Amino acid sequence: MLKRTDYLTKNYGKPDGWKLAAYEAAGGYRSARKALGMSKDAVIDEAKKAHVRGRGGAGFDCGVKWSFMPKESTKPHYLVINADEGEPGTFKDRTIMEQNPHSLIEGCIIGCYAIGAHACYIYVRDELHLSKERLWGAIAEAKAKGHLGARPFGKDYAVEIYVHTGAGAYICGEETALLNSLEGRRGEPRLKPPFPAQYGAFGCPSTVNNVETIAIMPTVFEIGGDAFSKLSELHGINDGGCRLFGVSGHVKNPGIFEAAVGLTLRELIFDLGGGVLDDRAIIGVIPGGSSCPIHKPDEIVDVAGDPRFEPYNGKSVLDLPLGVDTFRGIGSMLGTACAIVLSDAADPVLAYHNVMRFYRHESCGQCTPCREGMGWIERILDKIVAGTGTIEELDQLSDIANSVMGNTICAFGEGAAQPALAFVRRYRKELEDYVHNGGKNQTGTLTT
Amino acid sequence: MAFALSAERENELDQILSRYPNKMAACIPVLHLCQDANEGWVSADVIAFVAGRLELSTAQVKGVVTFYTLFNEEKPGKHQVWVCRTLSCALRGSEDILRHCEKKLGVKQGETTRDGKVTLRTAECLASCGTAPMMQVDKKYYENLSMTEVDRILDRLLYDGDA
């Protein structure tokens, strides 16, 4: 159900809306002040009540993640913010850093306190120069006001926040690759365990959180964890609050919209996104970044034996609330909740080629199945698109993707194999047309 | 000639070092700093300089340089243009934008104009999907591009030398 909120976005687009004055005029920094006056356990409990599912794509409960940090430790603790936004279709964190950076800074203060960290690194991809500038500016303003530094709000709990920059690598959005990159190494993912909470940045206990996950924390402490959770239609299945939804591709009004969890793809596309470009028919929707499987609009929700799905069974996938567990339940993934819409002006085979080219380009090369598999998939698709592919090769696409799935150090393997399998399953006919007709029935450009 | 930083940039390097518990962590930010000071690329001299300052082996620094796409191992043009080619931009016409840039600049993607002014590249998703198609010129994003806008931007780079 569509229920707009404006906790994160109320100052978006306003003149100087990203500055401290605007943030404090809207009640900013009260939550961090409040949290620093609570016990650490009480802060974690409040966060748990909010059921903030990680907004970076994995959907792990933020409060629970915080609780994994060791209570007794002689080593320093670190909070690391994943601001390496680069999942195709995803552009929400950038809006927070550019237009509401103080929400992230305030959230970092709360997060640092909760996990016992005195230092926080915000890992921003290098290309986001305006984001870095605004974050450094917000840090300076917060320090000057005494909200950040040796004694935030006069409390005896020092917090320092630093912006760290990447240098162009999608894989650094994977949390252990990000930690290696933060340490000055090649951004190759680490084997887990040990998990970051035991052995993270610089060998010390660390928590890695997404930008939006942390930026919403001031709201959680402002209205209370329970009240925050109940904003969501899915609070009963522990998917609480509101979040940023994005829509791009073939819609009339692409953008980022804040709404309560429970929003459906149909509402995102038609009510918020203004409908399909040129009023054409939808042929596919990727729910939240290109690592999620693509869905056709005529797919029907049919999950037997799970009472949570009873209200949705028999409905179109476009009418299923966008939640972590609702989409997991249908064998899909919510990801970053930034959808990409393909109308019938798009060629799904060329879209497939585009997506797999991305994964071949971004595979870090550490694990053989992923490094070689992505190359094989791209080369087969090169041939199919050029009209020289065969049905046997088309069949190999699924075999290769299945051989990558589960056989790599990090989740990039699954994130690449999922779309590889989903496109073959749903656009088999279009792919076969390319094989049989030599691709000459198509225009050669992704969108006509 | 051995690579060295200006006093101002040396100061910046010290500031970067102060943020981390060890010197190695400064590797990527310091490489950016040096690349900016070295006409946009990381030469063997730069690698030796960074390795020396951070007490790392040159192999370690070179390994970092080759891993990340934004470190140039050859001198790029005065300006760098990246056209995003990933799905959301491709659905909104980025292929046409790229072809247009190639034609106007007289180079293919990955190449630099003969006068050394512009290097044309493609980029994977730059987190600007809602304002597609888009391109990055040096440190600035240009979004919701039309061909007229692309012409205006490229003309400024080619004839005025500034974006």
Side-chain angles (χ1 to χ4, degrees), chain A residues 71-84:
Chain A
K71 298 276 176 250
E72 306 287 330
S73 166
T74 52
K75 290 179 172 179
H77 291 190
Y78 292 105
L79 176 66
V80 181
I81 304 302
N82 186 341
D84 193 44

Side-chain angles (χ1 to χ4, degrees), chain B residues 142-161:
Chain B
Y142 292 88
E143 302 167 75
N144 289 313
L145 290 174
S146 64
M147 291 303 173
T148 337
E149 178 67 8
V150 172
D151 277 338
R152 244 196 316 260
I153 296 163
L154 295 182
D155 280 339
R156 279 201 300 264
L157 296 180
L158 287 172
Y159 305 114
D160 304 339

Side-chain angles (χ1 to χ4, degrees), chain A residues 108-129:
Chain A
C108 289
I109 298 170
I110 298 170
C112 274
Y113 181 68
I115 64 163
H118 294 283
C120 167
Y121 293 99
I122 305 176
Y123 183 106
V124 185
R125 65 183 291 186
D126 185 56
E127 295 92 329
L128 299 181
H129 294 283

Side-chain angles (χ1 to χ4, degrees), chain A residues 121 164 166 185-186 248-249, chain B residues 19-20 32 63 68 88 92 125:
Chain A
Y121 293 99
H164 181 87
R185 305 170 196 274
R186 293 162 69 87
S248 67
Chain B
R19 295 172 197 154
Y20 304 99
H32 279 301
Y68 298 94
S88 293
R92 304 292 290 226
C125 193

Side-chain angles (χ1 to χ4, degrees), chain A residues 247-251 265 268-269 275-277 281-286 339-343 346, chain B residues 88 91:
Chain A
V247 62
S248 67
H250 290 150
V251 289
L265 279 170
L268 178 59
I269 296 165
V276 183
L277 203 60
I282 297 173
I283 61 158
V285 182
I286 302 174
I340 306 174
V341 177
L342 280 72
S343 80
Chain B
S88 293
L91 288 168

Side-chain angles (χ1 to χ4, degrees), chain A residues 89 91 94 121 125 128 164-168 181 183-187 248-251 354 357-358 446-447, chain B residues 19-20 24 28 32 63-64 66-70 85 87-88 90-92 95 99 124-125 127-129 141 143:
Chain A
F91 52 107
R94 187 184 145 215
Y121 293 99
R125 65 183 291 186
L128 299 181
H164 181 87
T165 171
S181 185
E183 292 180 6
R185 305 170 196 274
R186 293 162 69 87
S248 67
H250 290 150
V251 289
N354 183 291
R357 183 184 63 191
F358 173 84
L446 219 162
T447 299
Chain B
R19 295 172 197 154
Y20 304 99
M24 185 167 79
I28 292 173
H32 279 301
V64 170
T66 55
F67 186 84
Y68 298 94
T69 54
L70 293 174
R85 63 174 185 179
L87 187 58
S88 293
L91 288 168
R92 304 292 290 226
E95 293 158 318
R99 272 194 290 268
E124 297 296 353
C125 193
S128 189
C129 317
Y141 276 21
E143 302 167 75

